[in-house]
Structure formats: structure tokens, C-alpha cells
Amino acid sequence: MTYFQVGSLAVPAVWVAASGALFVAALFNRAFMGKKVEDWYWNGFFYYFVLWKLSYIVFNLGLFLDMPLSVLYFNGGTKGHIFALAILSVYLLVFALKRFPFLYEESAWLFLLYFTSYQVIIGFLDKSSLELFIHLILLGFLLILLSQKKKKSLTSRQIFPLFILLELLIISWFDSLFSLESLTIIWMGLIVFILAIKADKGAR
């Protein structure tokens, strides 16, 4: 894993890519959909990040009590990631859906834009040329579809499963299909599908 030194703190490339993709996806959405992302997008990321960081206290209480400032340098790791994903899922399915009626459609496109942008950025930072090239093609294809969304009867439900499968295929090629990254994509993909079911029921 690649790290960047920021003062006394070693910042993993995945953090840089995750933060960068957040803004890149929002910019693409504004450019191709002509509107800003709703608050649920920023709120969801904020809740995830805070819970992931603070979960360090829950899973490493002894170390935290001995060195309280250690929470600035560490996080909850894999357990904290899963915990934060679970809370994020509750937020999207229970709270955000009530305030944002078009959450399904927006979340599907932003989910694809975010993860594809993340893969492009991490491929660049890790200097993985082949993986970067493949994800650039995938991102370009996604942007083409997004630009034609208003001209054709393309819906996110038609292409969403395809992009999820393509992303998992690429990950399994360069890494493991059972990696934490794959788990995250599958998990959030299921959340989007559940949002779609709720949207169908609400429209009837």
C-alpha cells in the first residue's frame, strides 16, 4: 500500500483516493446531470468517516484510555469499517429516504461514479498502469451513458448490475474477490437495490 507523508502523519493512498473520489463524483454529477448532489451524499460520507474513526475507541478501549490522542492516528480497522457501513445503511434506508424521494436514482449513479473514480485515482497513486487504464475505460463508458440519460430511456436499473459485475470482475483480476473492497461494493450495491424496491412500493 502506498503512503504519503503529511507532517508526522503517514496518510494511506486509499484515504486520498476515497476523499478525492467523493468530490470527483459530485463534479461529474453536476456536469452531466446539471444539478448538485443532495445533502444525503455528503452527510452519508461524514457519518461513515466519523463512525469509522471513532470505532477505534470501541474496539481498542484500553489503548485509547492510555493514549487518548491515538484516535487521531488510528481507526477501527475492518471491524470499524463494517460497523460504519451498517450505520450508513440505516441512515440511507430509514432517514435519508424519507427526505429525498429520488434517492434511489441518485444513489445508483453516484455509487457508480464514486467507486469508478476511486479506482482511477487509486490506480494512479499506486502507479498501477493496467488497472488505471481499464478503469478509465469503464469511467468513460459510464460518463457516455450518463450524458445520454436524458436522451434515451436508460435507467440506472438497466446498467447498475452490469457495472457492479464488471467492477467485481476487475477487482478479482488484480486482487481477490473476497477482499474488503469487494465486500464494500457488494454491500452498498445491495443497499441501492433495497432503495429501488422501496421506491417501487412508494410509487404504487
Side-chain angles (χ1 to χ4, degrees), residues 169-189:
L169 178 62
I170 295 171
I171 290 175
S172 66
W173 187 9
F174 291 97
D175 195 0
S176 170
L177 186 59
F178 302 100
S179 64
L180 186 61
E181 186 177 8
S182 297
L183 170 64
T184 303
I185 292 175
I186 294 172
W187 183 318
M188 293 308 299

Side-chain angles (χ1 to χ4, degrees), residues 118-129:
Y118 167 83
Q119 295 292 354
V120 169
I121 297 172
I122 197 66
F124 174 78
L125 295 176
D126 284 340
K127 299 179 180 178
S128 177
S129 301

Side-chain angles (χ1 to χ4, degrees), residues 28-104:
F28 279 141
N29 186 77
R30 180 64 181 269
F32 288 89
M33 299 298 289
K35 60 181 179 179
K36 297 189 297 183
V37 295
E38 300 282 0
D39 289 341
W40 66 264
Y41 178 72
W42 305 107
N43 292 344
F45 186 84
F46 174 77
Y47 294 147
Y48 165 83
F49 180 77
V50 170
L51 290 167
W52 173 62
K53 285 291 289 181
L54 295 183
S55 65
Y56 166 79
I57 300 175
V58 177
F59 299 114
N60 301 275
L61 184 59
L63 291 174
F64 171 74
L65 293 176
D66 289 338
M67 298 179 293
L69 289 179
S70 60
V71 71
L72 298 176
Y73 299 94
F74 300 102
N75 54 71
T78 301
K79 292 180 181 179
H81 175 69
I82 294 174
F83 171 72
L85 279 181
I87 300 302
L88 172 60
S89 302
V90 172
Y91 166 72
L92 292 175
L93 294 172
V94 178
F95 298 102
L97 189 59
K98 293 180 179 179
R99 290 188 55 198
F100 305 100
F102 298 103
L103 178 59
Y104 163 67

Side-chain angles (χ1 to χ4, degrees), residues 20-30 37 41 110 113-115 117:
L22 183 72
F23 294 96
V24 171
L27 288 173
F28 279 141
N29 186 77
R30 180 64 181 269
V37 295
Y41 178 72
L110 282 167
L113 285 171
Y114 176 84
F115 271 97
S117 298

